[in-house]
Amino acid sequence: MDKGEINLLPPLLEGLMVTLQVTAGAIALAVPLAVLAGLGRLSRLRLLRWPASVYVEVFRGTSALVQLFWFFYVLPLFGLRLPAIVVGIVVLALNAGAYGAEVVRGAVLAVPRGQREAALALNMTRWQITRRIVVPQAIPAMLPPATNLMIELLKNTALVSLVTIGDLTFRGQLLRNDTLRTVEIFGLILFLYFGVALLITAGMRLLERRFRAR
């Protein structure tokens, strides 16, 4: 790496910190959304099942970019104006949560029905069955697809550069306009995204091994 490339790193690392902030915030919000929506779709109560289904289908069936533009440009027309970084976190979380809900639902349904019936025969309550039988088996099944969703969320953070958030992609575009050093800049951006994705994968695999060991 020559001296010129080193000079490109500080602004890119500043952008990376924003990308990590958006990613972490979106994941923190997407996880409870996915759990609530996934379990809501399995509920016997229409009052819970229908809103969860509408949420999942709307956010899975529309473009994340269009969702981002709606929250940033359209909602202010109705009097709701949010900071750009909040919009980025909320939209990415809602989008990832919709896909995550299907991961949760599939993992819960994958637990053999016979185990629940046997637990009911032993006079266990539904809460006990969920906590002791369903959840311990469902979580390890959720983690591999959840890892993919987190990496996809990381990559989708590049979209927030279109609503004036100074993330990694945004800083890279500014640098390119100023220096015209396209190869070096986007090579570094690829490397930084790839490094974060590897860290997410390693962390989730460690978590998966611990849950399976238990």
Side-chain angles (χ1 to χ4, degrees):
M1 183 179 294
D2 60 27
K3 183 177 179 180
E5 286 183 276
I6 295 175
N7 291 333
L8 296 174
L9 277 176
L12 291 180
L13 291 177
E14 290 179 10
L16 177 63
M17 295 306 297
V18 176
T19 292
L20 294 177
Q21 182 182 354
V22 173
T23 302
I27 289 174
L29 183 57
V31 170
L33 280 173
V35 172
L36 291 174
L39 296 179
R41 296 200 75 180
L42 294 172
S43 176
R44 298 178 180 180
L45 300 176
R46 291 183 179 180
L47 187 62
L48 297 177
R49 189 172 67 252
W50 285 10
S53 297
V54 169
Y55 157 63
V56 169
E57 296 305 328
V58 167
F59 279 89
R60 285 200 312 161
T62 56
S63 165
L65 180 58
V66 175
Q67 295 163 15
L68 189 67
F69 285 164
W70 257 88
F71 274 71
F72 190 74
Y73 293 113
V74 178
L75 289 186
L77 301 178
F78 297 94
L80 181 58
R81 185 179 298 276
L82 299 172
I85 194 165
V86 173
V87 169
I89 289 173
V90 169
V91 170
L92 292 180
L94 288 170
N95 190 271
Y99 286 95
E102 290 300 282
V103 171
V104 172
R105 187 171 72 96
V108 170
L109 291 176
V111 177
R113 187 178 183 85
Q115 295 186 20
R116 304 181 206 184
E117 294 174 349
L120 285 173
L122 295 174
N123 292 323
M124 293 179 67
T125 65
R126 293 192 179 277
W127 168 245
Q128 289 175 323
I129 294 171
T130 300
R131 182 169 60 89
R132 297 183 181 181
I133 296 174
V134 176
V135 171
Q137 295 182 75
I139 289 180
M142 295 177 195
L143 292 179
T147 302
N148 293 335
L149 287 179
M150 289 183 183
I151 294 174
E152 191 67 26
L153 191 155
L154 168 67
K155 293 187 291 184
N156 282 341
T157 58
L159 297 176
V160 304
S161 64
L162 299 176
V163 291
T164 71
I165 298 176
D167 72 320
L168 179 57
T169 301
F170 185 85
R171 295 298 180 95
Q173 291 282 14
L174 291 181
L175 274 178
R176 179 183 175 276
N177 292 338
D178 290 340
T179 66
L180 300 179
R181 294 167 60 186
T182 303
V183 175
E184 298 98 320
I185 291 170
F186 284 106
L188 287 170
I189 290 175
L190 283 175
F191 176 78
L192 292 172
Y193 274 118
F194 182 63
V196 176
L198 285 181
L199 290 176
I200 292 174
T201 301
M204 292 298 289
R205 285 179 178 172
L206 178 61
L207 190 62
E208 183 182 352
R209 285 196 296 269
R210 289 188 175 182
F211 271 102
R212 291 193 184 278
R214 291 180 182 179

